[in-house]
Amino acid sequence: MIRRLALVTTAVVLAYQPAAVAARKSYETPPPNAKFDYQLGGSYRPAPSVQVIGRDHTSHPVNGRYNVCYINGFQTQDYQAEWWQRNHSDLLLHDAEGDLVGDPNWAGEYLLDTSTAAKRQRLLTIIGGWIDGCARKGFDAADPDNLDSNTRSHGLLTLADNLAFAALLAQRAHADGLAISQKNDAEASARARRSVHFDFAISESCQVYDECGSYTKTYGDEVFDIEYRAKSFHAACRARGHRISIIRRDHDLVARGRPGYVYRAC
C-alpha cells in the first residue's frame, strides 16, 4: 500500500506508448528467497548481495539483477492525478454525487474505474502501455499496486472487477516476457493466482497485518516482504526469514545517502 514520489519530470511521467512490445517466448520469476531492495522513492546503486530490485516504471533496471517494475495499476499516483482528470476523467471512479473517489490514506490517489469491460480495455491501453515500457527498458517483472482498491470504493467496485482487470495486465505482462506480482489483498491470494495467473507476491507489512501466511500458502518462497517498523521486521525475520526475502525500509523509501534512509535484510 505504500507508494512514493517518483523523482522524474511530469513530461517523462505522462509519456507512454500503447503499442505492444513484441512477444517473447518465455519469462522468468524472481529467484526465491533472494536478497531484495525496494527503491520506489529514488534509485541508487544496490549492494552487491542484492539480487532482486523493485523500481518505479519511470526509472531504469540494473544490469545483472532481477528487476521488478512498479506501476500503480488501480489508482492514480498523486503526481498524475491532474493528467488523469484532464484526459481520462471518465476512467476515474465517481460517486453518486459525481465526486472522485479517493484513497483516504493517500491524497491525490483516485481510484480507477474497473467496473465495466469497456473501461477495463481503455485502462489497459494506458497501463498496459506502461507495462510495455517496462519490457522495453529491460525489466523482468511488473508490480501493479492496489489490487484491493475495491475495498475503498464504497461498494462501487468489486473484487471481481479488479481481478478481471488484473488478468488483462497479467496477459499483457506475460506477452511482453514479464512475470507479474500480486500486490495487496492477501486474503484473495489463492483466487487471484488461479484467475489472474500472478507469478509471485510483493507484500508490504504483512507481519503487521497478519497476512504473510496467506501469501506463503499460495506462493511458497516466492514472496518478497517489506516491513517499515523495526519490531515487525524482527518478528518477520524470526518467523519466516529462513524461507522468504524480508527487508526493512523507511516509509518514504528514500535513496541511500538521503536523510531518513533505512535498509535492513534478514
Side-chain angles (χ1 to χ4, degrees):
M1 284 296 301
I2 307 296
R3 271 84 58 198
R4 307 297 154 220
L5 293 175
L7 305 180
V8 293
T9 66
T10 301
V12 174
V13 169
L14 300 183
Y16 70 91
Q17 298 183 25
V21 176
R24 301 174 187 170
K25 293 183 179 180
S26 63
Y27 59 89
E28 296 184 359
T29 58
N33 199 12
K35 193 170 184 180
F36 176 53
D37 196 357
Y38 203 50
Q39 300 186 1
L40 302 192
S43 300
Y44 54 90
R45 184 185 299 276
S49 58
V50 169
Q51 296 175 264
V52 180
I53 301 170
R55 285 184 171 180
D56 191 81
H57 73 96
T58 58
S59 187
H60 294 274
V62 180
N63 290 336
R65 316 297 173 92
Y66 189 97
N67 294 273
V68 182
C69 189
Y70 172 93
I71 57 175
N72 201 339
F74 296 85
Q75 298 181 180
T76 70
Q77 294 289 76
D78 55 358
Y79 60 86
Q80 293 175 310
E82 183 180 347
W83 178 83
W84 278 99
Q85 291 179 69
R86 185 172 63 249
N87 295 284
H88 300 286
S89 178
D90 63 320
L91 295 181
L92 301 177
L93 189 66
H94 294 75
D95 63 20
E97 287 72 39
D99 296 325
L100 290 172
V101 179
D103 187 324
N105 296 315
W106 297 95
E109 292 204 14
Y110 299 108
L111 276 61
L112 303 181
D113 188 350
T114 61
S115 63
T116 70
K119 288 188 176 183
R120 292 192 291 267
Q121 286 293 334
R122 290 179 59 206
L123 287 168
L124 181 66
T125 301
I126 300 168
I127 298 173
W130 298 343
I131 292 175
D132 295 343
C134 295
R136 280 191 292 269
K137 288 181 176 181
F139 283 92
D140 300 289
D143 175 30
D145 201 4
N146 288 303
L147 177 64
D148 63 345
S149 68
N150 59 287
T151 65
R152 297 178 287 281
S153 71
H154 309 294
L156 298 173
L157 301 175
T158 67
L159 176 59
D161 294 329
N162 279 2
L163 291 178
F165 184 53
L168 295 176
L169 297 180
Q171 291 169 12
R172 187 67 159 258
H174 290 156
D176 283 349
L178 302 177
I180 188 167
S181 68
Q182 179 181 337
K183 173 74 72 63
N184 307 129
D185 221 338
E187 298 84 355
S189 291
R191 178 182 174 185
R193 188 171 204 186
R194 183 172 60 252
S195 63
V196 176
H197 304 295
F198 286 123
D199 301 297
F200 64 104
I202 294 179
S203 162
E204 293 182 275
S205 302
C206 72
Q207 179 69 30
V208 174
Y209 300 109
D210 195 23
E211 297 174 336
C212 304
S214 296
Y215 287 121
T216 57
K217 184 177 180 180
T218 300
Y219 296 100
D221 53 7
E222 291 266 27
V223 178
F224 297 82
D225 178 40
I226 307 104
E227 298 290 334
Y228 297 98
R229 303 175 185 174
K231 183 177 179 180
S232 63
F233 168 70
H234 292 304
C237 288
R238 288 193 300 270
R240 62 195 66 84
H242 63 288
R243 183 181 179 191
I244 67 172
S245 179
I246 301 169
I247 62 172
R248 183 187 173 203
R249 286 287 347 247
D250 54 278
H251 276 90
D252 292 327
L253 296 171
V254 300
R256 186 173 56 227
R258 296 187 64 192
Y261 170 82
V262 173
Y263 177 86
R264 301 285 187 275
C266 292

